[in-house]
């Protein structure tokens, strides 16, 4: 079974803090993704990466950056956390075309 | 890019009845359509998928149908049970794409 592990299940941060969300997968997948999930809005893609050191903006990249220094690890960075970034963040990985994703368990981030 | 619309956003059915969730997509090049189930507090998990060369696929009580001409695909759950209560997401991807486009989700409640 592919495992996608997110480092924190719950996180509370203060406005203006720099926040790191970590995601690690163990199946040598090329593609990794960060989504945020909000009620009524479904899954919105923030960034994705299809190779080490490669990244592409998704639908809502503003206020976020990412880092992929190693194939198995994809980090989401909130440069200066704001209250409107309070959300559930889901990491996913996959082989790409024609194969479903595997999701991590999610990190529920609260910015106060 | 691709646009996936999902209806209804909420659905309540009596235990034992059938449930149908419909998604439409815009890009005729999309050729793989997975469905994810997300139980409360858990990660989305792939439950069934269909490729564009197939019109229907079944797995026990769940089935997915695809109408390429009309660009829609549907999830059918028969003999619903309380444990089917969850949020269901559809998605689409093209054969040249790296990322899925998700619908906004359907919250299904099965009433015992």
């Amino acid at each position: 079974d592919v495992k996608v592990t997110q480092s924190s299940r719950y996180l509370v941060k203060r406005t203006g803090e720099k926040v790191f969300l970590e995601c690690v997968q163990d199946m040598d997948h090329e593609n990794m993704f960060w989504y945020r999930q909000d009620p009524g809005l479904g899954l919105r893609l923030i960034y994705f990466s299809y190779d080490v050191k490669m990244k592409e903006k998704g639908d809502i990249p503003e206020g976020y950056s990412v880092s992929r220094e190693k194939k198995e690890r994809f980090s989401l960075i909130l440069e200066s956390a704001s209250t409107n970034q309070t959300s559930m963040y889901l990491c996913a990985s996959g082989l790409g075309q024609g194969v479903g994703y595997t999701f991590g368990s999610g990190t529920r981030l609260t910015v106060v | 890019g691709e646009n996936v619309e999902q209806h209804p956003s909420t659905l309540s059915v009596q235990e034992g009845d059938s449930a149908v969730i419909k998604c439409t997509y815009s890009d005729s090049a999309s050729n793989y359509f997975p469905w994810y189930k997300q139980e409360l507090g858990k990660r989305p998990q792939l439950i069934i998928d269909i490729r564009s060369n197939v019109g229907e696929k079944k797995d026990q009580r769940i089935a997915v149908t695809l109408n390429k001409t009309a660009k829609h695909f549907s999830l059918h759950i028969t003999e619903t049970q309380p444990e089917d209560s969850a949020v269901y997401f559809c998605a689409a991807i093209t054969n040249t794409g790296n990322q899925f486009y998700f619908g906004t989700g359907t919250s299904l409640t099965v009433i015992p």
Side-chain angles (χ1 to χ4, degrees), chain A residues 14-75:
Chain A
R14 294 196 180 279
T15 300
E17 274 193 80
K18 191 169 187 176
V19 182
F20 293 86
L21 302 183
E22 305 286 344
C23 176
V24 177
Q25 51 97 359
D26 66 357
M27 278 299 290
D28 204 36
H29 284 168
E30 291 85 5
N31 301 316
M32 296 188 75
F33 309 83
W34 276 105
Y35 288 88
R36 66 178 278 178
Q37 183 175 21
D38 300 287
L41 297 176
L43 294 162
R44 293 184 293 167
L45 181 64
I46 305 171
Y47 267 97
F48 69 100
S49 168
Y50 52 88
D51 203 352
V52 175
K53 297 192 187 294
M54 304 298 288
K55 60 185 179 184
E56 294 281 345
K57 290 180 180 179
D59 299 319
I60 52 164
E62 297 79 18
Y64 303 94
S65 62
V66 289
S67 171
R68 191 157 182 211
E69 296 296 318
K70 293 184 179 181
K71 193 173 187 179
E72 67 270 19
R73 186 180 296 270
F74 191 35
S75 303

Side-chain angles (χ1 to χ4, degrees), chain B residues 6-67:
Chain B
Q6 183 171 347
H7 300 280
S9 57
T10 60
L11 180 60
S12 291
V13 298
Q14 291 290 139
E15 183 177 356
D17 286 351
S18 295
V20 180
I21 303 169
K22 184 174 175 178
C23 288
T24 60
Y25 61 98
S26 60
D27 190 343
S28 55
S30 290
N31 65 350
Y32 175 68
F33 308 91
W35 284 89
Y36 290 83
K37 174 183 180 183
Q38 186 178 24
E39 296 176 74
L40 191 63
K42 296 188 177 179
R43 71 186 75 192
Q45 295 206 310
L46 180 67
I47 55 170
I48 195 167
D49 55 16
I50 191 166
R51 299 182 190 277
S52 58
N53 59 349
V54 174
E56 183 176 1
K57 184 176 178 181
K58 285 184 181 177
D59 183 2
Q60 299 182 331
R61 295 185 299 105
I62 61 173
V64 57
T65 58
L66 171 65
N67 183 326

Side-chain angles (χ1 to χ4, degrees), chain A residues 4 9 31 33 35 37 41-43 45 48 50 90 97-101 103-105, chain B residues 32 36 38 41-44 46 51 89 93-100 102-104:
Chain A
V4 179
R9 192 86 170 96
N31 301 316
F33 309 83
Y35 288 88
Q37 183 175 21
L41 297 176
L43 294 162
L45 181 64
F48 69 100
Y50 52 88
L90 285 163
Q97 302 123 31
V99 180
Y101 292 169
F103 283 88
S105 296
Chain B
Y32 175 68
Y36 290 83
Q38 186 178 24
K42 296 188 177 179
R43 71 186 75 192
L46 180 67
R51 299 182 190 277
F89 291 97
I93 191 172
T94 68
N95 60 358
T96 56
N98 282 317
Q99 62 162 347
F100 286 107
F102 284 90
T104 48

